Amino acid sequence: MTAVSAERDSARQEIPDRLRGDVRLLGEMLGTVLAESGGEDLLADVERLRRAVIGARDGSVSGDEITALVASWPLERAKQVARAFTVYFHLANLAEEHQRMRALRERDDADHPPRESLAAAVRHIREHSGEDRLREAVEGMRFHPVLTAHPTEARRRAVSTSILRISGQLERFRDAHPGSSVEAEARRRLLEEIDLLWRTSQLRYTRLDPLDEVRTALAAFDETIFQVVPEIYRSLDAAIDPEGTGRAPARAVPFVRYGSWIGGDRDGNPYVTHEVTREAIAIQSEHVLRALENACGRIGRTLTVYTTLTPPDRDLVNTLATAEAGYPRVMAEIAKRSPNEPHRQLLLFATERLRATRLRDADLAYPGPDAFLADLRTVQRSLARAGAARQANGELQHLIWQAETFGFHLAELEIRQHSEVHAAALRELRAGEEPSERTREVLATLRVVAWIQERFGVDACRRYIVSFTRSAEDVAAVYELAGYALPEGQAPVLDVIPLFETGADLEAAPRVLDGMLELAPMRRRLEETGRRMEVMLGYSDSAKDVGPVSATLRLYDAQAQLAEWAERHDVRLTLFHGRGGSLGRGGGPASRALLAQAPGSVAGRFKVTEQGEVIFARYGQRAIAHRHIEQVGHAVLMASTEAVQDRARRASATHRALADRVADAAHGAYRRLIDTDGFAEWFSRVSPLEELGELRLGSRPSRRGAAKGLGDLRAIPWVFAWTQTRVNLPGWFGLGTGLAAADDLEALHAAYTDWPLFSSLLDNAEMSLAKTDRAIAERYLALGGRPELTALVLDEYDRTRDLVLKVTRHERLLENRRVLSRAVDLRNPYVDALSHLQLRALEALRGEEAAGLSEDDQRHLERLLLLSVNGVAAGLQNTG
């Protein structure tokens, strides 16, 4: 038995029984569906490939044999097999999701809070820093996730909703009594839904438009986020005051605020227009007002407290009297349904006003969320004064938290545009020229921002992010353009946020901020906001620019320098982390990344992008969404403690010179690779880069311009394409050369053990290496006809793998992360199957005979390629 097969057997033995049962059940049902749909021959072909790729892992089957098997099938059969493996991964992912939810329920113990929970953070701060510091930390904390439409979700929405239905049926099946009619019906429905998933196209036939993206993301709000957020606050409140929660006034503050770029991010996306931005906020408002209306109505209908036992206070009586004077018919109908129940009456009246707000009935509508919150608090105070403390601080408090968190706009819509677009617009306007269409669009966008603020409030849309900020003039340009867009005194409130993306821009950030302090609009906003400022750091482009190792160190330095700058200038700085989902774009566990930030750079506030497959991975199920926000909340609190910051300071001082040697050598290796003549063309040949656009993942083009060079290529397709080749190069390339240059394994291991930043860097690289398959990667790389580049990449892979294991002192990759290791070991052979199918298509499309392909064969090959891309993304559980 080979080491690889032994690892796979070990991983299989470690699978929890219920997970193994779910995978077996769903796999057998998929087999039934395949046999019914395509005949026993289709199922036999799928099984032949499955056994072959497993055999290849233990050395009993050669890669050439698998290539011959895949080549023997007609293209139509190859596409069916690719779809079968893709659907299998969707089902396996679902089974693992259910296992995670079971594990979370089993670890839920109020007396012994799980690791990385809010309760654990509260206990630590209380024990080590005291009650005053705990109160200060809780009151100052803020988690600000920003949903983006970056095209990294390979699944169609129809596929995602199908998987959710299968999830519900699986839960019903497992909850049913064995042998019962309920179990039999749940089994039948499971088969029906799996059959439907199989028959649903895995690929999009039309490109998403930005409003499709808005509606897709809002499914997460409707299904999980709106309900989970008050549960999180309740968890925090229970941790702070376990005896008083639900009975005493809440001590937890609503620390989550959602933002969105979907419908607002126009950097390089010509399809996001001012009309789209206006419609996006309207759609968001419709969703949140309907959710608040339903929640308020539900609580109002159940709050049947009687006047005799729970008398209203004077404020509530006066509020009802004012409502009766203004809206006698509405109040008469409510009073008829709720006699002698004044608290209920005011909540039902609030429900009617929310409905009027949603339907834009100006006579009855609320002017804004503050007026709605005032009514809720009037009810809450009256209940508390009447002795109904549990009614005051229970479900009603949840509704108050929801209104405080989401307002009437759900998520703040943020605008993003490239600095060059602003500069070009100003050149036209200053010269008095007739504005171009693009300049007119810039001005129209600013007018829409003003309209949104007037309609939904300033907090609905006030942040304007400038991509590729190089100087304070890039920030000043936005304020000047607002002056051109609207009459004096009518410009919207704007917080213009610089976005530093490349290595050079990160180094220049403090100098740019110095210039920003000289701008009159910026000084005015600092005075208005209590000297609050926000700066965004781009992880994706910095990693693509200088490589993963150097980018990690430069981002850390930028954070440290900006934190020092903020302290020097008495500014309350929030760093906005533009992280991707994949490791090559700054992804990975958010909580672990938070604890690796530079001292002083968190200060209780964490703002981060969440995009594509990350949105649905984190918010697709309530239990997982709850755990995600809890982990981030824990990390925000802990990263701001002196103990964590002191550890980071000491470790940085001890190990920084060593890390710099690693980063310098890694950067040199990375640049030598991508600066090689013809590298961009070679990359396009060895990967499905140019075909990715046909997946229609989102509305945004994959390049900022028409050029074909790497500089214009966005970071998402750069990472996505390397993932498909099984190389995962953006997650590790250069690290091996860097570790070799340090030439001190003991010192490197000490840095790995002591410094969270360095351990995070190596752990993330280890994950990327674990998802890399050298043998399959070599076949992809050979397509480019540049053996010297192939050797360069594979030699660096071997070097990096060897040295990462030596520095971490692991016998195998992911040795210390057994759950993840088990999942990777079990998935890799099935991903191999899809890679072999993709290679068949890619070799035919890139080979010498490609020009002679018939239109029919070309179409089938392209379809096979895209199906396999979709399946590999599902199998590896990340794209870009």
Side-chain angles (χ1 to χ4, degrees):
M1 180 182 291
T2 67
V4 172
S5 60
E7 288 175 4
R8 181 173 169 79
D9 285 345
S10 173
R12 189 183 294 112
Q13 291 168 10
E14 290 181 8
I15 299 177
D17 290 341
R18 293 189 67 179
L19 173 57
R20 183 185 291 109
D22 284 348
V23 172
R24 184 184 298 119
L25 171 72
L26 296 172
E28 288 173 353
M29 288 186 167
L30 176 59
T32 299
V33 166
L34 293 179
E36 291 175 352
S37 172
E40 292 293 340
D41 287 347
L42 171 60
L43 181 58
D45 284 340
V46 171
E47 277 297 300
R48 271 194 288 275
L49 181 56
R50 187 183 72 85
R51 288 194 295 270
V53 292
I54 291 174
R57 289 270 162 174
D58 63 24
S60 62
V61 177
S62 70
D64 290 342
E65 289 177 276
I66 300 175
T67 300
L69 172 63
V70 168
S72 71
W73 294 326
L75 285 172
E76 189 58 41
R77 173 50 54 89
K79 289 194 299 183
Q80 288 179 312
V81 174
R83 289 179 60 238
F85 277 93
T86 300
V87 172
Y88 170 80
F89 276 127
H90 290 321
L91 298 175
N93 292 344
L94 174 61
E96 289 183 353
E97 203 170 69
H98 276 245
Q99 177 60 28
R100 286 198 296 275
M101 290 189 288
R102 281 193 293 269
L104 290 173
R105 285 194 294 268
E106 289 165 4
R107 291 203 300 265
D108 187 9
D109 184 342
D111 293 327
H112 301 89
R115 291 176 58 253
E116 299 183 345
S117 65
L118 287 166
V122 166
R123 176 174 293 184
H124 176 92
I125 296 171
R126 177 175 272 149
E127 290 177 354
H128 291 83
S129 304
E131 201 69 34
D132 290 344
R133 178 69 187 99
L134 173 63
R135 182 173 59 254
E136 179 184 320
V138 168
E139 290 176 355
M141 73 183 299
R142 176 63 57 90
F143 172 39
H144 194 152
V146 179
L147 309 183
T148 81
H150 288 9
T152 65
E153 172 56 84
R155 294 179 302 185
R156 293 179 61 209
R157 186 175 179 184
V159 171
S160 298
T161 54
S162 178
I163 293 168
L164 284 174
R165 291 195 301 271
I166 294 170
S167 176
Q169 292 303 328
L170 177 62
E171 201 164 331
R172 291 185 187 92
F173 178 81
R174 289 306 186 195
D175 287 344
H177 184 72
S180 67
S181 60
V182 174
E183 184 192 57
E185 175 59 12
R187 178 183 288 274
R188 184 195 69 77
R189 286 286 291 117
L190 255 178
L191 272 166
E192 179 184 351
E193 290 294 351
I194 292 172
D195 180 75
L196 182 58
L197 176 60
W198 164 250
R199 296 174 187 278
T200 298
S201 173
Q202 299 292 309
L203 303 177
R204 297 181 176 94
Y205 287 94
T206 57
R207 182 176 294 278
L208 290 172
D209 68 38
L211 294 180
D212 290 330
E213 294 168 332
V214 172
R215 295 184 179 95
T216 298
L218 288 184
F221 170 81
D222 294 339
E223 292 158 11
T224 58
I225 292 173
F226 187 75
Q227 300 298 331
V228 163
V229 162
E231 293 173 0
I232 292 289
Y233 300 155
R234 183 60 71 187
S235 296
L236 177 59
D237 197 58
I240 298 169
D241 184 11
E243 298 299 321
T245 188
R247 190 166 53 87
R251 293 179 60 185
V253 297
F255 65 87
V256 180
R257 290 294 184 277
Y258 277 88
S260 176
W261 281 10
I262 310 174
D265 180 9
R266 58 244 308 128
D267 177 13
N269 189 344
Y271 307 109
V272 176
T273 64
H274 67 280
E275 295 97 339
V276 165
T277 298
R278 180 184 173 114
E279 186 63 22
I281 198 71
I283 293 170
Q284 289 184 188
S285 180
E286 162 73 19
H287 278 253
V288 72
L289 284 169
R290 191 180 292 277
L292 290 170
E293 179 187 337
N294 291 338
C296 190
R298 173 180 55 81
I299 296 169
R301 287 188 297 274
T302 59
L303 191 65
T304 52
V305 294
Y306 194 63
T307 302
T308 303
L309 286 176
T310 316
D313 69 1
R314 183 181 299 276
D315 287 346
L316 190 136
V317 170
N318 288 340
T319 301
L320 285 176
T322 301
E324 288 164 4
Y327 309 97
R329 291 185 181 179
V330 174
M331 293 305 298
E333 178 60 30
I334 290 173
K336 182 179 177 181
R337 287 184 282 139
S338 312
N340 297 312
E341 295 168 343
H343 298 90
R344 187 186 192 200
Q345 289 174 15
L346 186 49
L347 286 182
L348 293 177
F349 179 59
T351 304
E352 290 297 319
R353 295 196 70 183
L354 286 170
R355 181 173 180 275
T357 307
R358 179 171 58 82
L359 298 177
R360 304 196 66 175
D361 176 357
D363 180 52
L364 186 56
Y366 278 114
D370 289 346
F372 171 54
L373 277 165
D375 281 348
L376 296 183
R377 292 189 174 110
T378 295
V379 175
Q380 186 178 53
R381 284 193 301 270
S382 180
L383 287 167
R385 287 167 180 165
R390 294 194 180 279
Q391 302 307 317
N393 301 297
E395 285 297 293
L396 181 59
Q397 179 60 52
H398 284 200
L399 179 57
I400 290 172
W401 279 329
Q402 286 166 324
E404 289 175 322
T405 299
F406 302 111
F408 284 178
H409 56 278
L410 192 155
E412 181 189 345
L413 191 59
E414 299 188 354
I415 308 298
R416 182 171 75 137
Q417 183 56 282
H418 199 290
S419 59
E420 286 299 321
V421 173
H422 299 145
L426 280 178
R427 283 194 295 270
E428 292 177 9
L429 295 168
R430 288 168 178 168
E433 299 174 3
E434 180 67 23
S436 63
E437 181 180 348
R438 189 168 70 171
T439 295
R440 290 197 300 272
E441 175 58 35
V442 170
L443 299 178
T445 297
L446 288 161
R447 294 179 188 119
V448 164
V449 171
W451 176 84
I452 291 172
Q453 292 185 1
E454 183 180 353
R455 173 77 176 82
F456 299 101
V458 169
D459 285 343
C461 184
R462 60 181 169 82
R463 288 176 166 90
Y464 196 117
I465 296 152
V466 181
S467 298
F468 289 92
T469 299
R470 302 281 161 76
S471 69
E473 285 72 23
D474 292 330
V475 173
V478 179
Y479 291 113
E480 185 175 348
L481 285 165
Y484 280 104
L486 294 114
E488 186 174 353
Q490 295 183 25
V493 174
L494 292 173
D495 289 322
V496 183
I497 299 168
L499 168 51
F500 302 109
E501 304 188 68
T502 67
D505 292 346
L506 289 169
E507 291 176 3
R511 174 181 54 78
V512 174
L513 296 193
D514 284 338
M516 287 172 59
L517 290 183
E518 301 300 316
L519 303 177
M522 182 61 66
R523 292 200 302 271
R524 186 164 56 249
R525 281 302 290 160
L526 285 172
E527 291 174 7
E528 293 167 350
T529 62
R531 300 196 64 77
R532 295 177 185 273
M533 182 187 286
E534 194 169 303
V535 171
M536 185 172 183
L537 305 176
Y539 285 63
S540 305
D541 282 287
S542 60
K544 178 171 158 282
D545 178 37
V546 299
V549 182
S550 186
T552 299
L553 269 293
R554 293 192 192 195
L555 283 160
Y556 183 87
D557 286 344
Q559 293 163 24
Q561 290 165 9
L562 291 171
E564 292 170 4
W565 180 92
E567 185 175 4
R568 194 163 60 247
H569 293 280
D570 189 29
V571 168
R572 298 186 65 187
L573 183 68
T574 296
L575 293 179
F576 181 7
H577 301 268
R579 304 171 68 91
S582 63
L583 296 172
R585 296 185 51 245
S591 57
R592 193 155 50 97
L594 252 170
L595 293 171
Q597 303 302 305
S601 65
V602 178
R605 300 178 295 278
F606 183 56
K607 185 176 180 184
V608 66
T609 51
E610 295 188 323
Q611 57 202 40
E613 80 268 20
V614 170
I615 295 175
F616 290 95
R618 290 174 176 168
Y619 298 110
Q621 298 281 358
R622 282 176 63 171
I624 293 172
H626 192 288
R627 178 59 174 161
H628 165 59
I629 300 174
E630 277 245 8
Q631 284 181 305
V632 175
H634 167 273
V636 168
L637 287 171
M638 294 301 296
S640 304
T641 62
E642 282 302 314
V644 169
Q645 294 181 77
D646 285 346
R647 178 192 175 191
R649 287 189 192 96
R650 289 193 302 270
S652 178
T654 302
H655 304 294
R656 184 53 197 262
L658 180 73
D660 283 340
R661 290 204 300 276
V662 173
D664 289 345
H667 177 245
Y670 180 80
R671 292 306 311 187
R672 281 193 297 275
L673 173 68
I674 68 172
D675 289 340
T676 301
D677 287 343
F679 176 83
E681 294 78 7
W682 177 77
F683 175 47
S684 293
R685 286 189 59 79
V686 305
S687 73
L689 174 67
E690 299 307 326
E691 289 83 1
L692 291 180
E694 295 304 312
L695 278 175
R696 304 178 177 92
L697 299 187
S699 65
R700 192 176 74 170
S702 61
R703 295 180 184 272
R704 284 191 166 90
K708 292 291 186 180
L710 285 183
D712 203 54
L713 179 67
R714 290 187 182 276
I716 289 171
W718 163 255
V719 174
F720 196 169
W722 278 119
T723 302
Q724 290 291 316
T725 66
R726 307 295 296 283
V727 178
N728 291 314
L729 180 146
W732 55 263
F733 193 90
L735 178 59
T737 295
L739 295 174
D743 194 28
D744 188 339
L745 288 177
E746 289 298 322
L748 288 167
H749 179 71
Y752 173 73
T753 303
D754 298 340
W755 194 6
L757 177 77
F758 202 71
S759 61
S760 178
L761 171 65
L762 264 65
D763 286 345
N764 286 343
E766 196 173 5
M767 190 188 305
S768 285
L769 292 166
K771 291 185 177 182
T772 298
D773 185 279
R774 193 187 192 284
I776 291 177
E778 188 169 8
R779 284 189 59 191
Y780 278 96
L781 298 177
L783 292 171
R786 296 282 299 273
E788 78 283 9
L789 287 176
T790 296
L792 190 62
V793 171
L794 294 179
D795 288 350
E796 183 65 17
Y797 166 79
D798 292 338
R799 185 181 303 111
T800 303
R801 188 181 189 279
D802 177 59
L803 286 173
V804 164
L805 288 173
K806 287 178 178 176
V807 171
T808 60
R809 298 182 182 173
H810 294 161
E811 294 295 322
R812 57 189 297 271
L813 294 172
L814 300 179
E815 179 182 290
N816 62 333
R817 302 171 72 183
R818 294 302 301 166
V819 173
L820 178 60
S821 174
R822 179 186 70 211
V824 171
D825 285 342
L826 293 173
R827 285 166 178 276
N828 271 342
Y830 299 101
V831 180
D832 295 349
L834 287 157
S835 292
H836 281 286
L837 289 160
Q838 186 177 120
L839 277 162
R840 174 184 173 179
L842 205 56
E843 287 168 346
L845 293 168
R846 299 287 192 270
E848 294 179 357
E849 300 181 12
L853 291 171
S854 68
E855 286 188 15
D856 195 47
D857 279 350
Q858 177 93 13
R859 187 176 67 254
H860 281 298
L861 286 165
E862 289 174 350
R863 196 80 179 158
L864 172 60
L865 179 64
L866 295 179
L867 281 167
S868 65
V869 166
N870 197 292
V872 170
L876 296 177
Q877 292 186 298
N878 61 270
T879 54

